[in-house]
Every structure is written in structure tokens, then in C-alpha cells.
Amino acid sequence: MRYISTRGTAPVLNFEEAMLTGLARDGGLYVPEVIPQMGVADIARLEGLSYEAIAYRVMRPFVGGVFTDDEFEGIIARAYAGFGHAARAPLVQLDQGHFLLELFHGPTLAFKDFAMQLIGQMFQTALGRRGERVTIVGATSGDTGSAAIEAFRGLDNVDVFILYPHGRISEVQRRQMTTPVESNVHALAMDGDFDECQARLKDMFNDFAFRDEVKLAGVNSINWGRVLAQVVYYFSAAVSVGAPHRPVSFTVPTGNFGDIFAGYIAKRMGLPIDKLVVATNQNDILDRCLKGQGYHKGATVPSISPSMDIQVSSNFERALFDAYDREGPAIVQLMDELKAGGFEVSQGAMQVLQSHYASGRASEDETSATIASALATTGELLCPHSAVGVKVAEEHRVTGTPMITLATAHPAKFPDAVEQAATQRPPLPPRMADLYERAERVSRVPNDLQALISHIKGHRAA
Ligand SMILES: *Cc1c(COP(=O)(O)O)cnc(C)c1O
């Protein structure tokens, strides 16, 4: 299995290289050269299997010869062993034909654990075999960073540095990053917003001298290994409500477009998905773009669903790449225009995008109202991101086609917003009840590339 860059000029890599690299050297994102197919019979055979067994069958063809069958089976088993629910990704019914896919039973209570725990195990196996040590640097709007730190803490072959926007993440998110005691993890509170954190991260990857000196590796949502891990639960969920014998739709609370893009990959593999609905909060650049209004950056407005507060949605580049018939130069041009503020999508590309994706947005008031109404009618306490999804899903439901909304985080990760809306404070699960008592360790850093580089060089383990 070979991986190519969306900008067309970076080297073609295998799965292991694409995963360890993250961002391609031409600034693009790696995608598989061809998408493996699963036929109706292959999909039907997933019914009744464990999450791990489905994960193995869905992901195996993408990995190629990088891991042996036994190695890959072991990686998957270790990745999901620490989840707090036997089904890993249980489905609960909200209403006739509307289901909630609970993706928050991992160690940091957000869906990012599905990908990060798997990547941690894959890095460990691949780097151990190579006898190499890498420096992982990530930027987070809250959940990626805690998931990364949880996945890599104490592993022998990595240092992890996570940049987060100072003062703009929830206390639970911050504490999950600042309380691990292992010396290979480093939380960095940067002065700036999430887009600025992402921009400095990109700058570090584009500084090839630094990149090579510290063996920089990325695990942000652009990492192909992460997208791949997320493809699995589209299959497990769809099969449990009737696929491949009937089509299913999904609504996905979206920021960086990684999670919903995994749904698109599932569809391209052969899963009968009717609609993939992008749900945004008031930072609705993707909703506007998918409605044909172009992609134009504005200011990021902080919301009660902070993990979706973005203007530059990195993985959208992968969707554009396919919509533009996989022409690298077209993507290079769009991304240049984006640096200057934004771009228009061509008519042909817009048609392709709209054939796969629908979209909607939820205001702050609508999000809070949905938390309250879902609790009243179903007993389910939603986190604000999941509530954005449920609200938008309601607008896209069609009789006869099950709608599955992804619940991306546990309500206890955003207790203030949930309490305000539902007048109940969601408690942390017992296994992390002492989070508020643990000591914190964090470095405050400026929004400055050179300062960040010297901080990282100075704080790596030998
Ligand atoms: C990361 C995140 C999202 C957005 O996911 P993308 O893959 O970036 O689109 C939504 N909800 C929560 C809780 C998240 O942590």
C-alpha cells in the first residue's frame, strides 16, 4: 500500500513512513494511492464480531506488510484494552431511527483516544524495531493533546510536546495534559488561539533542519494513521443498524475534518453511507463552504464546544484533493490563496463535495437547548460537541434511513457548559475522580517559532 501527498511533490511512502512523518515535506497530507474495497459479503461478515476483530479486518489492507498479522492483532488488542466499555464504541438509541455512537469511553473521555491509543502502540512497535527515538510535537484545541499524552506517556522511544492555547481549554482537558508525571511528556501553554498553535506547528515541520535534528513526528489529526483508526467505528456502527443491507447516514461534530473524512473513506471502501453530515458550531466556515459560499477565514469565536473552534480545517485538504480529481497543483494553489484569506471552490469540485457531504450549524443557544431537551426526552447527557451533532442530525433525518450521530466527548469533560444547560453537573468516571487533586506541570511559551524550537531542543530527554 503506497501513500501519496495531496500536493503532489513529496516522496511516495509506505504506511509506516507516512504514519511516522505526519505532514508531507511538500506541506501536503498523505492519502492512500488506492482505496481498498470491502464487498457486501465482506461487510455482512462483520456482524457480531468484537470491535477489535472489526478493526483488524477494516484496517489490515491499509497497513500492508509493515506489521505482521500477529503484530497488528497485538497492537489493536493493547490499544483498546484500557477502554471503560466492553463494546468500545456502544450505540444507544435516542429516538426512532436516530442513534448516538458513544466514542467517549477511552482513557481521556473523547473519541481521539480511538486513534491515539492505536498510534501509540504502532509507534512503539515500529520505533522499537528501528531502534529510533522521535520527538512528537502536537497542537491541540484540548482533546488531541490529552489523548496524545495519555497514549505516549512513559513509552521509551518518544518525547511528546503538546502546544495548547493558554486559557482556552477546559480545566479537565488541561489537567489531563499537565498532571501525568512521566518525564517524556511536556505540556506547553502558548499565548494565542488554536489556529496560531496549528500554524506554529506547521512552521516547525517546515523547518527541515530542526525537523531532522530532533526527528520530528506529528500525531495531529492530519496523521493518516489517525484517520484510518477512525474508519473502524463507521463500520461497527453501520453494521449494527442494518448495513450492508440498507444505507445508513452519519452526523459528525466537525472541526479539523478528520473524523468525518474517516466516514468518507468508509464509504469509498464500500460501506453504504447515504449522507455524511458535517455539523459545526458558530465557527461555521465548513458549513458555509459546503453550501457553496467559498472558504473564507474569519476570526475564531470561542464557543462552549471548543474542540471545534477553528478556521483552518486541516483535513479538508484531503476532501478537496479528491474533489479536484487528485491534482496536486490545484491544491497548492488553493492553499496559497488560503494563506491570503480564502478561496472559491470550482463548480465541478463543489458538485463532488456535495454528493458526499451535507452540513449544518448550531448556535450557542441551540447547543444548550439540545443538551437540555436530549436529557429530558432520552435521559442522555450530551457534551456540547455531541449536542451540536444531535441538533444538526435532527434537521437531516430521513424516514427509513437510520441516522447515527457521533458523540465525540463525555459530558464530564465540559462540566460547566453542561451544568449551565442541563442544571446537572456530570461527574467524572470513578477511574479519574482524583484528577482535580493531582499536581500540575506546564511551561508557558510565546507565539514565536524560534522560542518554541529552543524550548523543545532544551527539554528533550537525551
Ligand atoms: C477533535 C474533536 C472534534 C472535531 O473532530 P475533527 O476530527 O477535528 O473534525 C469534535 N468533538 C470533540 C469532542 C473533539 O475532541
Side-chain angles (χ1 to χ4, degrees):
M1 173 64 67
R2 286 152 43 102
Y3 289 84
I4 58 172
S5 164
T6 50
R7 307 217 184 156
T9 55
V12 174
L13 302 180
N14 73 10
F15 177 80
E16 175 173 324
E17 294 159 338
M19 173 185 78
L20 293 176
T21 298
L23 193 67
R25 288 181 96 94
D26 59 5
L29 281 61
Y30 278 102
V31 290
E33 196 169 41
V34 292
I35 310 279
Q37 297 297 300
M38 285 183 74
V40 170
D42 299 325
I43 297 170
R45 276 195 288 273
L46 301 178
E47 213 179 310
L49 296 185
S50 67
Y51 186 84
E52 284 82 350
I54 293 175
Y56 182 87
R57 293 195 190 190
V58 169
M59 294 191 289
R60 190 76 192 94
F62 289 93
V63 173
V66 163
F67 300 117
T68 66
D69 292 351
D70 282 351
E71 268 175 342
F72 196 49
E73 216 172 75
I75 284 169
I76 293 171
R78 289 190 296 278
Y80 300 116
F83 276 50
H85 196 293
R88 311 313 183 210
L91 261 190
V92 301
Q93 187 158 13
L94 290 180
D95 194 358
Q96 187 71 28
H98 191 182
F99 300 84
L100 193 71
L101 180 58
E102 291 186 348
L103 300 174
F104 51 68
H105 296 284
T108 69
L109 308 180
F111 81 89
K112 293 186 172 76
D113 288 322
F114 278 88
M116 212 60 88
Q117 287 291 321
L118 187 82
I119 283 239
Q121 294 302 323
M122 292 196 293
F123 265 63
Q124 173 86 334
T125 303
L127 292 171
R129 182 201 293 146
R130 290 169 167 227
E132 251 175 51
R133 189 178 179 88
V134 299
T135 305
I136 289 172
V137 184
T140 186
S141 55
D143 295 326
T144 297
S146 48
I149 284 175
E150 193 59 46
F152 288 97
R153 63 193 284 187
L155 295 190
D156 312 324
N157 305 316
V158 286
D159 276 291
V160 195
F161 292 85
I162 299 294
L163 281 174
Y164 68 83
H166 177 69
R168 298 205 191 202
I169 63 175
S170 83
E171 185 176 0
V172 175
Q173 290 175 320
R174 189 190 74 233
R175 286 183 169 274
Q176 284 180 334
M177 291 193 275
T178 58
T179 58
V181 296
E182 289 82 357
S183 60
N184 73 324
V185 304
H186 314 267
L188 306 179
M190 194 182 98
D191 293 308
D193 64 20
F194 172 56
D195 284 314
E196 289 169 318
C197 291
Q198 259 199 153
R200 293 300 78 72
L201 181 71
K202 274 209 164 190
D203 293 344
M204 284 186 241
F205 273 86
N206 287 326
D207 182 330
F208 291 150
F210 172 65
R211 183 172 178 166
D212 293 337
E213 181 185 336
V214 304
K215 288 209 163 59
L216 204 58
V219 295
N220 257 49
S221 72
I222 52 129
N223 190 298
W224 173 256
R226 282 189 54 191
V227 175
L228 177 59
Q230 294 166 184
V231 176
V232 174
Y233 46 70
Y234 286 90
F235 278 91
S236 67
V239 164
S240 56
V241 297
H245 312 295
R246 61 169 174 176
V248 178
S249 290
F250 288 91
T251 300
V252 186
T254 296
N256 253 329
F257 215 82
D259 211 5
I260 188 131
F261 190 76
Y264 164 81
I265 294 292
K267 180 179 176 187
R268 292 286 312 277
M269 290 175 73
L271 190 65
I273 295 180
D274 180 30
K275 266 192 229 157
L276 285 165
V277 185
V278 172
T280 75
N281 65 24
Q282 60 192 359
N283 295 291
D284 59 355
I285 185 166
L286 285 166
D287 179 40
R288 284 183 283 120
C289 179
L290 290 167
K291 294 202 161 109
Q293 299 167 25
Y295 193 100
H296 300 282
K297 284 190 281 186
T300 307
V301 185
S303 79
I304 56 171
S305 46
S307 303
M308 312 198 299
D309 289 348
I310 63 156
Q311 295 295 324
V312 179
S313 180
S314 327
N315 280 289
F316 193 50
E317 177 167 341
R318 287 188 163 110
L320 290 167
F321 184 58
D322 278 4
Y324 279 85
D325 280 333
R326 300 202 143 199
E327 282 179 23
I331 302 305
V332 171
Q333 194 189 327
L334 294 180
M335 293 303 132
D336 280 347
E337 289 173 33
L338 180 58
K339 274 196 203 131
F343 55 84
E344 298 299 326
V345 179
S346 76
Q347 218 180 354
M350 206 59 231
Q351 266 173 8
V352 177
L353 288 173
Q354 287 174 341
S355 73
H356 295 295
Y357 305 102
S359 69
R361 57 128 39 202
S363 69
E364 296 290 274
D365 286 347
E366 288 166 335
T367 305
S368 298
T370 304
I371 294 174
S373 64
L375 180 64
T377 58
T378 70
E380 184 86 15
L381 203 48
L382 299 171
C383 93
H385 309 77
S386 310
V388 167
V390 166
K391 187 262 175 187
V392 172
E394 290 293 345
E395 297 163 355
H396 286 83
R397 283 172 58 190
V398 177
T399 313
T401 305
M403 173 64 83
I404 298 171
T405 298
L406 275 53
T408 51
H410 192 286
K413 218 165 172 178
F414 304 93
D416 298 335
V418 173
E419 184 175 19
Q420 277 240 317
T423 64
Q424 286 200 2
R425 196 163 178 87
L428 282 170
R431 60 200 153 105
M432 49 194 80
D434 68 337
L435 187 64
Y436 289 97
E437 277 100 67
R438 298 180 203 157
E440 295 190 73
R441 182 167 59 91
V442 57
S443 304
R444 182 91 175 258
V445 290
N447 176 12
D448 177 82
L449 177 63
Q450 288 316 319
L452 289 167
I453 284 181
S454 66
H455 184 95
I456 290 170
K457 282 187 187 171
H459 289 79
R460 282 188 308 148

